[in-house]
Amino acid sequence: MPQDFFGRIVYIVQRNGMSYLNGAANTMIIAVVSTFIGCLIGFAVGIVQTIPVDKNDSIIKRVFLKVIRLILGAYVEVFRGTPMMAQATFIYFGSAAVFNINMSMWFAAFFIVSINTGAYMAETVRGGILSIDPGQTEGAKAIGMNHFQTMLYVILPQALRNIMPQIGNNLIINIKDTCVLSTIGIVELFYATKSVAGALYTYFESYSVAMVIYFILTFTCSRLLRLWEKKLDGSDNYDLATTDTLAHTSGLYNYTERKEEHHE
């Protein structure tokens, strides 16, 4: 093995490059899929938490929504208030020991990261919905939309743009936090790095390579999400359409001349 630092880096990459690539691929698969599922969970929870309750509603609806909100609130607080590593160990090993549910490692990985992301996204979605001007909801109801239609066609498209940065943050966090899944045996980037470092006793060099790979993954995702946000913003300038007959006619109308003719 080379004696200089960069020589050892090259040696590690040449010998264990595929291990790093496989680990990085597993990391990205878990992060992207779990972020997507977590966003769906977050949207569902956030929408339920913002359903309006009026005093004229039936007692059954009010009690049902209150119970559901208590359950969802407990879910959000528990998974936001405990570390993902503890959640992974508790769910994967605890479900087998207590409930005799033997999850596969991959199912457990997607499940753990998804519900953790969903808890954070629920509060983000709730805040995004509440950030929309109430006049938008009132206008939608004024034209006959129900709550579901208002959310689907008016509120959520606007809220989505507001919460896009947080969705990107959750994806980047998940790319890094998949390393906790090494506790249940998932061979992601951190697990692969630990194996390389233990085999060659080159901890500093091995983890230097891992840090570079993590940075490349997160930086690339960050740039792509920025481009998506920019696309959602639309064009900076909009040209007014002047081909409409009514608009063209109104532009030729001379109020002063008509006013003088009226006086005559």
Side-chain angles (χ1 to χ4, degrees), residues 96-123:
V98 178
F99 303 105
N100 199 28
I101 300 175
N102 296 311
M103 300 182 183
S104 68
M105 289 187 298
W106 278 95
F107 175 82
F110 288 120
F111 180 72
I112 291 161
V113 181
S114 296
I115 59 176
N116 184 275
T117 304
Y120 284 95
M121 282 303 304
E123 286 298 290

Side-chain angles (χ1 to χ4, degrees), residues 31-32 35 166-176 221 225:
V32 172
T35 301
Q166 186 57 36
I167 294 176
N169 286 339
N170 283 330
L171 174 59
I172 291 172
I173 290 170
N174 285 340
I175 292 174
K176 297 180 294 181
C221 290
L225 289 167

